[in-house]
Amino acid sequence: MQITSRTRLRKYLNEKNYQRPANLSSDLSIGSRVSGWKPGSLFKGTFSQKLCTLKDILYDGEIYVELHSHGILLTGHGRSYSIHNSQVIDIDTISSTEIEKQRKSVIGEAAVGAFIGGPVGAVLGGLSGLFGSDDVWVDKEYVAITFWDVVTDAPQCIMVSREEGYTVDEFIELQKELTEHPVTEVEIKKEKTPVFPIIIAFCLYVAVVVFAFVFVA
């Protein structure tokens, strides 16, 4: 019987024996959305329960993954799930083409996941079992987020496939940047303040003052 991707991933995380992050925040609120503040702060993807170690956190289908000042928010079909930056253990990418290539080079299930570092390798066998069906076998890039869940008090992993037109390299870099150098709500609002309308308003103000001084006085 085909072992599910979730089972493989759960087994892998247990074998890695990840420890609770030393810097795990007591406040897991993720703050304000930074989309539009910097490029790459949001991407659209597809979520599948088969590629998530936690049950029933989101519905299968299209979701948006967006960065906030202190974490990551996944939303879709009326549900949302947040991950604070201090919970993140690892975040990485791998394409389905790479997975299939690695799968073909494996002899026996015992070797599955042995040649790709990080949690992505754990789902090679499970994903390869899905490849070949019409609705799954397309060239995709997956983002794997491994994090410490405070409810189960254990490491968990979510894999989301990226939709075309969205970049994830900048997303990962920005997430790491925000983890190392958290921004405040004030800084985000300051970055979001549009400069062009302010310049136009100032020019109009100067024009009105000059007009009043020249023609009215």
Side-chain angles (χ1 to χ4, degrees):
M1 184 176 67
Q2 174 67 42
I3 301 176
T4 65
S5 304
R6 183 190 298 145
T7 301
R8 289 183 182 276
L9 188 52
R10 180 75 266 158
K11 183 174 182 292
Y12 176 85
L13 292 177
N14 288 336
E15 290 175 349
K16 291 296 291 185
N17 193 30
Y18 284 118
Q19 301 298 314
R20 172 190 281 262
N23 63 337
L24 188 62
S25 176
S26 58
D27 180 8
L28 298 181
S29 56
I30 61 174
S32 298
R33 174 182 173 182
V34 300
S35 296
W37 170 55
K38 281 190 175 182
S41 58
L42 174 147
F43 72 90
K44 184 180 180 181
T46 302
F47 172 83
S48 172
Q49 281 288 334
K50 294 180 180 179
L51 303 180
C52 177
T53 54
L54 289 172
K55 294 182 180 180
D56 302 324
I57 61 170
L58 294 167
Y59 294 116
D60 285 357
E62 293 183 348
I63 66 169
Y64 284 93
V65 185
E66 51 187 49
L67 288 177
H68 283 230
S69 59
H70 294 79
I72 301 170
L73 182 68
L74 301 90
T75 58
H77 304 287
R79 283 192 177 185
S80 63
Y81 187 81
S82 62
I83 303 171
H84 191 272
N85 284 335
S86 68
Q87 294 177 264
V88 177
I89 297 172
D90 184 46
I91 180 169
D92 202 356
T93 63
I94 187 172
S95 71
S96 56
T97 302
E98 290 176 288
I99 293 172
E100 178 67 1
K101 186 185 300 182
Q102 295 283 10
R103 183 188 69 82
K104 288 180 179 179
S105 67
V106 174
I107 301 177
E109 289 188 356
V112 170
F115 37 81
I116 289 185
V120 177
V123 296
L124 280 174
L127 282 176
S128 64
L130 299 177
F131 289 167
S133 61
D134 295 336
D135 60 336
V136 176
W137 181 233
V138 292
D139 190 14
K140 292 183 178 180
E141 182 175 42
Y142 292 88
V143 177
I145 306 172
T146 309
F147 62 100
W148 190 270
D149 177 55
V150 295
V151 176
T152 59
D153 199 30
Q156 306 291 347
C157 187
I158 298 173
M159 289 189 71
V160 179
S161 63
R162 173 187 63 83
E163 294 297 318
E164 291 186 8
Y166 291 87
T167 176
V168 291
D169 291 336
E170 290 180 343
F171 180 92
I172 293 174
E173 291 177 5
L174 181 54
Q175 188 278 326
K176 293 178 178 179
E177 178 185 330
L178 291 172
T179 299
E180 296 176 2
H181 307 287
V183 296
T184 65
E185 309 297 315
V186 175
E187 287 176 312
I188 292 176
K189 291 177 181 178
K190 182 179 179 181
E191 290 283 353
K192 284 185 174 182
T193 303
V195 177
F196 190 70
I198 294 176
I199 295 175
I200 293 178
F202 177 77
C203 292
L204 290 174
Y205 173 79
V206 172
V208 170
V209 171
V210 171
F211 179 84
F213 180 81
V214 174
F215 296 97
V216 177

